[in-house]
């Protein structure tokens, strides 16, 4: 196949590029509705058709989602995140836990070797937030921030970005175990969950890679045990 001469960006391409930049920079954050079509037309100085084509292109890549009668929302901050989200939506919670196990175990090892004083402070703050959480949603958010802080402590931006883009699937896996544990009043399991978190952070702060990886194994195993108990209980109720 012969190479063709490069052409100038079309108006649609230019609008797509501007919108993509707003999304990636966080000015249009995930979960928020973007400006309405008339406002975009006015700000960009282009036709409605151009705006519609640009929005359609970003919907196709998975960055935007159009909700009938409600507007258009940002659903991912990058094409990588959109692709991962589509794939993760077809995965089971058990599969997600297995992927978390693979990523978080190595992340814990790297974090123990590379953590800085700033990382240590962030980890302690996240751990304190988990302990101070007053409800399930607050605990889930604090839990997610703790694990992201651990991955950030590896100072491997590729790994940190990859993990961050798995946030929705990770939230589901954490939420399923935490909600079941709280609603079933499994206080001992919740205390064990907190202890595993504490052991993990302590091992990273102390610079112990293998102990850090071991704490991740204990954490994921605990989550798998809770899910197994939940499935067995649901199965018994359906019989």
């Amino acid at each position: 196949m012969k190479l063709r001469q490069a052409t100038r960006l079309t108006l649609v391409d230019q609008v797509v590029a501007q919108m993509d930049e707003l999304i990636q920079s966080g000015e249009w954050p995930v979960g928020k509705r973007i400006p309405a079509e008339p406002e975009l037309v006015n700000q960009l100085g282009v036709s409605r058709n151009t705006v519609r084509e640009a929005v359609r292109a970003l919907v196709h890549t998975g960055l935007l989602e159009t909700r009938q009668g409600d507007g258009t929302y940002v659903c991912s901050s990058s094409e990588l995140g959109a692709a991962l989200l589509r794939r993760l939506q077809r995965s089971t919670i058990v599969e997600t836990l297995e992927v978390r196990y693979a990523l978080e175990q190595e992340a814990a090892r790297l974090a123990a070797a590379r953590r800085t004083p700033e990382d240590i402070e962030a980890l302690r703050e996240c751990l304190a937030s988990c302990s101070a959480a007053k409800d399930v949603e607050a605990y889930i958010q604090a839990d997610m921030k703790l694990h992201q802080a651990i991955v950030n402590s590896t100072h491997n931006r590729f790994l940190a970005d990859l993990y961050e883009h798995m946030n929705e699937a990770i939230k589901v896996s954490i939420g399923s175990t935490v909600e079941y544990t709280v609603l079933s009043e499994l206080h001992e399991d919740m205390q064990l969950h907190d202890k595993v978190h504490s052991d993990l952070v302590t091992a990273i702060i102390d610079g112990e890679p293998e102990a850090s990886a071991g704490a991740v194994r204990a954490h994921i195993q605990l989550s798998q045990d809770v899910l197994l108990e939940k499935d067995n209980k649901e199965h018994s109720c359906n019989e």
Side-chain angles (χ1 to χ4, degrees):
M1 184 180 71
K2 293 183 179 180
L3 294 174
R4 293 175 295 180
Q5 290 185 345
T7 57
R8 294 181 179 178
L9 289 176
T10 64
L11 276 177
V12 172
D13 290 333
Q14 292 178 51
V15 172
V16 167
Q18 288 191 62
M19 289 183 174
D20 184 58
E21 185 176 347
L22 289 170
I23 293 169
Q24 292 199 43
S25 68
E27 190 166 340
W28 284 1
V30 174
K32 298 298 183 180
R33 184 170 56 187
I34 70 171
E37 185 180 279
E39 187 176 345
L40 290 173
V41 167
N42 183 55
Q43 289 182 15
L44 292 163
V46 296
S47 68
R48 285 180 177 267
N49 283 340
T50 297
V51 169
R52 288 172 185 169
E53 285 296 319
V55 169
R56 190 176 295 118
L58 290 170
V59 168
H60 181 71
T61 61
L63 298 183
L64 295 179
E65 174 188 22
T66 300
R67 301 176 187 174
Q68 190 66 34
D70 190 21
T72 301
Y73 288 76
V74 180
C75 54
S76 181
S77 60
S78 73
E79 291 185 31
L80 170 61
L84 279 173
L85 182 59
R86 286 195 297 270
R87 180 61 187 87
L88 289 165
Q89 286 172 340
R90 304 197 304 272
S91 303
T92 66
I93 295 176
V94 172
E95 288 174 328
T96 301
L97 282 173
E98 290 173 349
V99 172
R100 284 186 60 193
Y101 173 73
L103 291 178
E104 292 181 20
Q105 185 174 214
E106 185 58 26
R109 284 197 181 96
L110 292 174
R114 300 175 179 175
R115 78 281 182 274
T116 65
E118 292 76 19
D119 294 327
I120 290 173
E121 182 179 354
L123 291 171
R124 285 174 172 157
E125 288 177 357
C126 289
L127 188 61
S129 295
C130 287
S131 300
K134 300 300 183 182
D135 54 53
V136 171
E137 184 59 30
Y139 190 91
I140 292 171
Q141 291 297 330
D143 196 331
M144 290 175 62
K145 287 181 180 179
L146 173 60
H147 289 289
Q148 186 67 54
I150 291 171
V151 177
N152 290 345
S153 298
T154 68
H155 297 278
N156 181 321
R157 288 309 313 163
F158 187 17
L159 179 58
D161 288 345
L162 178 61
Y163 193 83
E164 186 175 1
H165 287 312
M166 290 178 59
N167 265 348
E168 284 305 311
I170 291 170
K171 182 177 182 180
V172 170
S173 68
I174 292 174
S176 296
T177 55
V178 172
E179 286 177 3
Y180 177 75
T181 302
V182 171
L183 293 175
S184 301
E185 298 185 346
L186 301 175
H187 303 300
E188 290 185 3
D189 283 354
M190 203 64 204
Q191 290 172 358
L192 185 56
H193 194 83
D194 289 338
K195 182 180 183 303
V196 170
H197 271 163
S198 179
D199 290 346
L200 174 56
V201 170
T202 298
I204 291 173
I205 290 174
D206 290 346
E208 299 179 355
E210 292 312 311
S212 301
V216 171
R217 288 194 294 272
H219 173 63
I220 297 299
Q221 185 61 58
L222 176 61
S223 297
Q224 290 174 329
D225 290 344
V226 169
L227 287 176
L228 180 60
E229 181 177 342
K230 178 183 177 184
D231 289 342
N232 289 338
K233 185 175 182 179
E234 291 176 349
H235 181 71
S236 298
C237 292
N238 293 330
E239 288 182 345

